[in-house]
PDB file of all heavy atoms in Angstrom:
ATOM      1  N   GLY B 131      -2.095  14.592 -66.714  1.00 94.00           N
ATOM      2  CA  GLY B 131      -3.197  15.076 -67.552  1.00 94.00           C
ATOM      3  C   GLY B 131      -3.768  16.391 -67.037  1.00 94.00           C
ATOM      4  O   GLY B 131      -4.296  17.186 -67.817  1.00 94.00           O
ATOM      5  N   GLN B 132      -3.684  16.629 -65.743  1.00 96.00           N
ATOM      6  CA  GLN B 132      -4.204  17.869 -65.163  1.00 96.00           C
ATOM      7  C   GLN B 132      -3.397  19.072 -65.650  1.00 96.00           C
ATOM      8  O   GLN B 132      -3.947  20.100 -66.025  1.00 96.00           O
ATOM      9  CB  GLN B 132      -4.158  17.789 -63.634  1.00 96.00           C
ATOM     10  CG  GLN B 132      -5.135  16.783 -63.071  1.00 96.00           C
ATOM     11  CD  GLN B 132      -6.573  17.234 -63.250  1.00 96.00           C
ATOM     12  OE1 GLN B 132      -6.912  18.369 -62.955  1.00 96.00           O
ATOM     13  NE2 GLN B 132      -7.407  16.351 -63.752  1.00 96.00           N
ATOM     14  N   GLU B 134      -1.548  19.056 -68.316  1.00 96.00           N
ATOM     15  CA  GLU B 134      -1.732  19.119 -69.760  1.00 96.00           C
ATOM     16  C   GLU B 134      -3.047  19.829 -70.114  1.00 96.00           C
ATOM     17  O   GLU B 134      -3.093  20.687 -71.001  1.00 96.00           O
ATOM     18  CB  GLU B 134      -1.727  17.697 -70.318  1.00 96.00           C
ATOM     19  CG  GLU B 134      -1.463  17.657 -71.799  1.00 96.00           C
ATOM     20  CD  GLU B 134      -1.346  16.234 -72.303  1.00 96.00           C
ATOM     21  OE1 GLU B 134      -2.146  15.377 -71.871  1.00 96.00           O
ATOM     22  OE2 GLU B 134      -0.463  15.984 -73.133  1.00 96.00           O
ATOM     23  N   ARG B 137      -2.754  23.527 -69.453  1.00 97.00           N
ATOM     24  CA  ARG B 137      -1.914  24.165 -70.463  1.00 97.00           C
ATOM     25  C   ARG B 137      -2.626  24.217 -71.817  1.00 97.00           C
ATOM     26  O   ARG B 137      -2.487  25.175 -72.561  1.00 97.00           O
ATOM     27  CB  ARG B 137      -0.575  23.428 -70.580  1.00 97.00           C
ATOM     28  CG  ARG B 137       0.194  23.435 -69.266  1.00 97.00           C
ATOM     29  CD  ARG B 137       1.616  23.830 -69.427  1.00 97.00           C
ATOM     30  NE  ARG B 137       1.776  25.117 -70.047  1.00 97.00           N
ATOM     31  CZ  ARG B 137       2.910  25.593 -70.516  1.00 97.00           C
ATOM     32  NH1 ARG B 137       3.990  24.852 -70.460  1.00 97.00           N
ATOM     33  NH2 ARG B 137       2.994  26.784 -71.045  1.00 97.00           N
ATOM     34  N   ALA B 138      -3.428  23.182 -72.101  1.00 97.00           N
ATOM     35  CA  ALA B 138      -4.161  23.175 -73.369  1.00 97.00           C
ATOM     36  C   ALA B 138      -5.180  24.306 -73.419  1.00 97.00           C
ATOM     37  O   ALA B 138      -5.522  24.801 -74.488  1.00 97.00           O
ATOM     38  CB  ALA B 138      -4.847  21.823 -73.567  1.00 97.00           C
ATOM     39  N   GLY B 140      -4.573  27.173 -72.297  1.00 96.00           N
ATOM     40  CA  GLY B 140      -3.812  28.393 -72.537  1.00 96.00           C
ATOM     41  C   GLY B 140      -3.153  28.964 -71.290  1.00 96.00           C
ATOM     42  O   GLY B 140      -2.622  30.069 -71.314  1.00 96.00           O
ATOM     43  N   LEU B 149      -2.907  27.117 -60.079  1.00 94.00           N
ATOM     44  CA  LEU B 149      -4.374  27.073 -60.065  1.00 94.00           C
ATOM     45  C   LEU B 149      -4.910  25.651 -60.061  1.00 94.00           C
ATOM     46  O   LEU B 149      -5.980  25.386 -59.526  1.00 94.00           O
ATOM     47  CB  LEU B 149      -4.935  27.803 -61.287  1.00 94.00           C
ATOM     48  CG  LEU B 149      -4.764  29.313 -61.302  1.00 94.00           C
ATOM     49  CD1 LEU B 149      -5.142  29.878 -62.665  1.00 94.00           C
ATOM     50  CD2 LEU B 149      -5.616  29.940 -60.213  1.00 94.00           C
ATOM     51  N   GLN B 154      -4.586  20.608 -55.839  1.00 91.00           N
ATOM     52  CA  GLN B 154      -4.948  19.192 -55.730  1.00 91.00           C
ATOM     53  C   GLN B 154      -3.914  18.420 -54.933  1.00 91.00           C
ATOM     54  O   GLN B 154      -4.237  17.553 -54.129  1.00 91.00           O
ATOM     55  CB  GLN B 154      -5.045  18.568 -57.116  1.00 91.00           C
ATOM     56  CG  GLN B 154      -6.213  19.051 -57.918  1.00 91.00           C
ATOM     57  CD  GLN B 154      -6.258  18.358 -59.274  1.00 91.00           C
ATOM     58  OE1 GLN B 154      -6.257  17.151 -59.364  1.00 91.00           O
ATOM     59  NE2 GLN B 154      -6.273  19.146 -60.328  1.00 91.00           N
ATOM     60  N   ASP B 242     -27.859   9.309 -64.779  1.00 47.00           N
ATOM     61  CA  ASP B 242     -27.447  10.079 -65.943  1.00 47.00           C
ATOM     62  C   ASP B 242     -28.667  10.320 -66.826  1.00 47.00           C
ATOM     63  O   ASP B 242     -29.528   9.460 -66.961  1.00 47.00           O
ATOM     64  CB  ASP B 242     -26.410   9.243 -66.720  1.00 47.00           C
ATOM     65  CG  ASP B 242     -25.747  10.053 -67.804  1.00 47.00           C
ATOM     66  OD1 ASP B 242     -26.328  11.060 -68.230  1.00 47.00           O
ATOM     67  OD2 ASP B 242     -24.648   9.669 -68.219  1.00 47.00           O
ATOM     68  N   VAL B 244     -28.524  10.627 -69.888  1.00 42.00           N
ATOM     69  CA  VAL B 244     -28.290   9.954 -71.157  1.00 42.00           C
ATOM     70  C   VAL B 244     -28.365   8.447 -70.977  1.00 42.00           C
ATOM     71  O   VAL B 244     -28.940   7.731 -71.765  1.00 42.00           O
ATOM     72  CB  VAL B 244     -26.902  10.329 -71.722  1.00 42.00           C
ATOM     73  CG1 VAL B 244     -26.612   9.496 -72.959  1.00 42.00           C
ATOM     74  CG2 VAL B 244     -26.863  11.795 -72.066  1.00 42.00           C
ATOM     75  N   VAL B 248     -22.755   4.282 -64.997  1.00 44.00           N
ATOM     76  CA  VAL B 248     -21.872   3.130 -64.990  1.00 44.00           C
ATOM     77  C   VAL B 248     -20.450   3.618 -65.115  1.00 44.00           C
ATOM     78  O   VAL B 248     -19.607   3.350 -64.278  1.00 44.00           O
ATOM     79  CB  VAL B 248     -22.156   2.161 -66.163  1.00 44.00           C
ATOM     80  CG1 VAL B 248     -21.730   0.771 -65.796  1.00 44.00           C
ATOM     81  CG2 VAL B 248     -23.609   2.220 -66.563  1.00 44.00           C
ATOM     82  N   GLY B 249     -20.211   4.386 -66.159  1.00 42.00           N
ATOM     83  CA  GLY B 249     -18.849   4.829 -66.423  1.00 42.00           C
ATOM     84  C   GLY B 249     -18.512   6.034 -65.576  1.00 42.00           C
ATOM     85  O   GLY B 249     -18.908   7.130 -65.888  1.00 42.00           O
ATOM     86  N   LYS B 250     -17.805   5.800 -64.491  1.00 39.00           N
ATOM     87  CA  LYS B 250     -17.375   6.933 -63.686  1.00 39.00           C
ATOM     88  C   LYS B 250     -16.069   7.491 -64.241  1.00 39.00           C
ATOM     89  O   LYS B 250     -15.615   8.536 -63.830  1.00 39.00           O
ATOM     90  CB  LYS B 250     -17.168   6.510 -62.220  1.00 39.00           C
ATOM     91  CG  LYS B 250     -18.458   6.178 -61.540  1.00 39.00           C
ATOM     92  CD  LYS B 250     -19.134   7.414 -60.964  1.00 39.00           C
ATOM     93  CE  LYS B 250     -18.385   7.887 -59.733  1.00 39.00           C
ATOM     94  NZ  LYS B 250     -19.004   9.071 -59.165  1.00 39.00           N
TER      95      LYS B 250
ATOM     96  N   ARG X  52      -0.697  17.092 -80.006  1.00 96.00           N
ATOM     97  CA  ARG X  52       0.063  17.856 -79.014  1.00 96.00           C
ATOM     98  C   ARG X  52       1.151  18.706 -79.649  1.00 96.00           C
ATOM     99  O   ARG X  52       1.553  19.719 -79.076  1.00 96.00           O
ATOM    100  CB  ARG X  52       0.643  16.906 -77.965  1.00 96.00           C
ATOM    101  CG  ARG X  52      -0.416  16.427 -76.983  1.00 96.00           C
ATOM    102  CD  ARG X  52       0.019  15.195 -76.223  1.00 96.00           C
ATOM    103  NE  ARG X  52      -0.967  14.828 -75.218  1.00 96.00           N
ATOM    104  CZ  ARG X  52      -2.143  14.255 -75.481  1.00 96.00           C
ATOM    105  NH1 ARG X  52      -2.474  13.984 -76.727  1.00 96.00           N
ATOM    106  NH2 ARG X  52      -2.984  13.958 -74.516  1.00 96.00           N
ATOM    107  N   ASP X  78       1.178  29.783 -75.269  1.00 95.00           N
ATOM    108  CA  ASP X  78      -0.037  29.886 -74.448  1.00 95.00           C
ATOM    109  C   ASP X  78      -1.143  30.596 -75.228  1.00 95.00           C
ATOM    110  O   ASP X  78      -2.312  30.229 -75.152  1.00 95.00           O
ATOM    111  CB  ASP X  78       0.247  30.643 -73.142  1.00 95.00           C
ATOM    112  CG  ASP X  78       1.291  29.932 -72.287  1.00 95.00           C
ATOM    113  OD1 ASP X  78       1.413  28.705 -72.411  1.00 95.00           O
ATOM    114  OD2 ASP X  78       1.992  30.615 -71.512  1.00 95.00           O
ATOM    115  N   ARG X  81      -2.591  28.189 -77.782  1.00 95.00           N
ATOM    116  CA  ARG X  81      -3.478  27.169 -77.209  1.00 95.00           C
ATOM    117  C   ARG X  81      -4.834  27.731 -76.822  1.00 95.00           C
ATOM    118  O   ARG X  81      -5.799  26.987 -76.711  1.00 95.00           O
ATOM    119  CB  ARG X  81      -2.786  26.484 -76.031  1.00 95.00           C
ATOM    120  CG  ARG X  81      -1.692  25.525 -76.493  1.00 95.00           C
ATOM    121  CD  ARG X  81      -1.201  24.662 -75.367  1.00 95.00           C
ATOM    122  NE  ARG X  81      -0.351  25.421 -74.464  1.00 95.00           N
ATOM    123  CZ  ARG X  81       0.975  25.458 -74.535  1.00 95.00           C
ATOM    124  NH1 ARG X  81       1.600  24.756 -75.446  1.00 95.00           N
ATOM    125  NH2 ARG X  81       1.666  26.171 -73.695  1.00 95.00           N
ATOM    126  N   ARG X  82      -4.900  29.051 -76.608  1.00 95.00           N
ATOM    127  CA  ARG X  82      -6.219  29.640 -76.341  1.00 95.00           C
ATOM    128  C   ARG X  82      -7.075  29.626 -77.604  1.00 95.00           C
ATOM    129  O   ARG X  82      -8.290  29.724 -77.534  1.00 95.00           O
ATOM    130  CB  ARG X  82      -6.059  31.084 -75.837  1.00 95.00           C
ATOM    131  CG  ARG X  82      -5.539  31.111 -74.413  1.00 95.00           C
ATOM    132  CD  ARG X  82      -5.133  32.479 -73.949  1.00 95.00           C
ATOM    133  NE  ARG X  82      -4.068  32.327 -72.956  1.00 95.00           N
ATOM    134  CZ  ARG X  82      -3.391  33.321 -72.412  1.00 95.00           C
ATOM    135  NH1 ARG X  82      -3.656  34.577 -72.759  1.00 95.00           N
ATOM    136  NH2 ARG X  82      -2.450  33.096 -71.531  1.00 95.00           N
ATOM    137  N   ASN X  92      -9.805  14.753 -68.039  1.00 95.00           N
ATOM    138  CA  ASN X  92      -8.931  15.703 -67.344  1.00 95.00           C
ATOM    139  C   ASN X  92      -9.673  16.923 -66.818  1.00 95.00           C
ATOM    140  O   ASN X  92      -9.160  18.037 -66.867  1.00 95.00           O
ATOM    141  CB  ASN X  92      -7.778  16.159 -68.245  1.00 95.00           C
ATOM    142  CG  ASN X  92      -6.833  15.025 -68.581  1.00 95.00           C
ATOM    143  OD1 ASN X  92      -6.851  14.001 -67.911  1.00 95.00           O
ATOM    144  ND2 ASN X  92      -6.031  15.201 -69.597  1.00 95.00           N
ATOM    145  N   LEU X  93     -10.880  16.707 -66.302  1.00 96.00           N
ATOM    146  CA  LEU X  93     -11.545  17.804 -65.594  1.00 96.00           C
ATOM    147  C   LEU X  93     -10.781  18.053 -64.304  1.00 96.00           C
ATOM    148  O   LEU X  93     -10.089  17.170 -63.805  1.00 96.00           O
ATOM    149  CB  LEU X  93     -12.993  17.429 -65.282  1.00 96.00           C
ATOM    150  CG  LEU X  93     -13.910  17.293 -66.498  1.00 96.00           C
ATOM    151  CD1 LEU X  93     -15.327  16.964 -66.043  1.00 96.00           C
ATOM    152  CD2 LEU X  93     -13.919  18.570 -67.325  1.00 96.00           C
ATOM    153  N   PHE X  94     -10.925  19.265 -63.763  1.00 95.00           N
ATOM    154  CA  PHE X  94     -10.228  19.581 -62.516  1.00 95.00           C
ATOM    155  C   PHE X  94     -11.098  19.108 -61.352  1.00 95.00           C
ATOM    156  O   PHE X  94     -12.144  19.701 -61.087  1.00 95.00           O
ATOM    157  CB  PHE X  94      -9.958  21.079 -62.436  1.00 95.00           C
ATOM    158  CG  PHE X  94      -9.252  21.621 -63.657  1.00 95.00           C
ATOM    159  CD1 PHE X  94      -9.638  22.823 -64.230  1.00 95.00           C
ATOM    160  CD2 PHE X  94      -8.195  20.924 -64.231  1.00 95.00           C
ATOM    161  CE1 PHE X  94      -8.985  23.317 -65.356  1.00 95.00           C
ATOM    162  CE2 PHE X  94      -7.542  21.401 -65.355  1.00 95.00           C
ATOM    163  CZ  PHE X  94      -7.937  22.601 -65.927  1.00 95.00           C
ATOM    164  N   ALA X 140     -16.341  14.241 -60.025  1.00 90.00           N
ATOM    165  CA  ALA X 140     -16.401  12.846 -59.579  1.00 90.00           C
ATOM    166  C   ALA X 140     -17.833  12.337 -59.472  1.00 90.00           C
ATOM    167  O   ALA X 140     -18.071  11.137 -59.445  1.00 90.00           O
ATOM    168  CB  ALA X 140     -15.698  12.688 -58.233  1.00 90.00           C
ATOM    169  N   SER X 143     -21.132  10.980 -64.644  1.00 92.00           N
ATOM    170  CA  SER X 143     -20.762   9.794 -65.414  1.00 92.00           C
ATOM    171  C   SER X 143     -19.687  10.195 -66.406  1.00 92.00           C
ATOM    172  O   SER X 143     -19.433  11.380 -66.634  1.00 92.00           O
ATOM    173  CB  SER X 143     -21.982   9.265 -66.162  1.00 92.00           C
ATOM    174  OG  SER X 143     -22.295  10.140 -67.234  1.00 92.00           O
ATOM    175  N   GLY X 144     -19.044   9.185 -67.003  1.00 92.00           N
ATOM    176  CA  GLY X 144     -17.987   9.472 -67.968  1.00 92.00           C
ATOM    177  C   GLY X 144     -18.478  10.343 -69.119  1.00 92.00           C
ATOM    178  O   GLY X 144     -17.814  11.281 -69.540  1.00 92.00           O
ATOM    179  N   MET X 147     -18.865  13.823 -67.953  1.00 95.00           N
ATOM    180  CA  MET X 147     -17.566  14.464 -67.777  1.00 95.00           C
ATOM    181  C   MET X 147     -17.010  14.937 -69.115  1.00 95.00           C
ATOM    182  O   MET X 147     -16.475  16.034 -69.231  1.00 95.00           O
ATOM    183  CB  MET X 147     -16.582  13.486 -67.122  1.00 95.00           C
ATOM    184  CG  MET X 147     -16.767  13.340 -65.635  1.00 95.00           C
ATOM    185  SD  MET X 147     -15.313  12.610 -64.870  1.00 95.00           S
ATOM    186  CE  MET X 147     -15.915  10.976 -64.562  1.00 95.00           C
ATOM    187  N   ARG X 149     -18.664  15.683 -71.767  1.00 95.00           N
ATOM    188  CA  ARG X 149     -19.408  16.834 -72.298  1.00 95.00           C
ATOM    189  C   ARG X 149     -19.019  18.121 -71.577  1.00 95.00           C
ATOM    190  O   ARG X 149     -18.957  19.188 -72.186  1.00 95.00           O
ATOM    191  CB  ARG X 149     -20.916  16.546 -72.214  1.00 95.00           C
ATOM    192  CG  ARG X 149     -21.344  15.571 -73.316  1.00 95.00           C
ATOM    193  CD  ARG X 149     -22.828  15.380 -73.377  1.00 95.00           C
ATOM    194  NE  ARG X 149     -23.286  14.475 -72.337  1.00 95.00           N
ATOM    195  CZ  ARG X 149     -24.490  14.561 -71.765  1.00 95.00           C
ATOM    196  NH1 ARG X 149     -25.318  15.511 -72.125  1.00 95.00           N
ATOM    197  NH2 ARG X 149     -24.837  13.691 -70.844  1.00 95.00           N
ATOM    198  N   ASP X 173     -17.907   4.085 -71.433  1.00 89.00           N
ATOM    199  CA  ASP X 173     -18.661   2.855 -71.593  1.00 89.00           C
ATOM    200  C   ASP X 173     -19.467   2.959 -72.884  1.00 89.00           C
ATOM    201  O   ASP X 173     -19.913   4.048 -73.257  1.00 89.00           O
ATOM    202  CB  ASP X 173     -19.599   2.655 -70.412  1.00 89.00           C
ATOM    203  CG  ASP X 173     -18.829   2.281 -69.167  1.00 89.00           C
ATOM    204  OD1 ASP X 173     -18.120   1.264 -69.216  1.00 89.00           O
ATOM    205  OD2 ASP X 173     -18.900   3.019 -68.173  1.00 89.00           O
ATOM    206  N   GLU X 175     -22.396   2.554 -73.956  1.00 87.00           N
ATOM    207  CA  GLU X 175     -23.695   3.231 -74.050  1.00 87.00           C
ATOM    208  C   GLU X 175     -23.573   4.744 -73.875  1.00 87.00           C
ATOM    209  O   GLU X 175     -24.539   5.473 -74.084  1.00 87.00           O
ATOM    210  CB  GLU X 175     -24.695   2.633 -73.049  1.00 87.00           C
ATOM    211  CG  GLU X 175     -24.399   2.942 -71.603  1.00 87.00           C
ATOM    212  CD  GLU X 175     -23.468   1.911 -70.970  1.00 87.00           C
ATOM    213  OE1 GLU X 175     -22.667   1.292 -71.716  1.00 87.00           O
ATOM    214  OE2 GLU X 175     -23.525   1.743 -69.745  1.00 87.00           O
TER     215      GLU X 175
END
Side-chain angles (χ1 to χ4, degrees):
Chain B
Q132 292 291 312
E134 199 175 42
R137 300 228 57 193
L149 290 170
Q154 290 181 54
D242 190 338
V244 174
V248 206
K250 291 274 287 180
Chain X
R52 284 163 175 74
D78 299 333
R81 286 191 285 265
R82 287 170 209 174
N92 294 343
L93 293 182
F94 307 137
S143 72
M147 281 198 255
R149 284 187 282 149
D173 288 302
E175 70 271 27

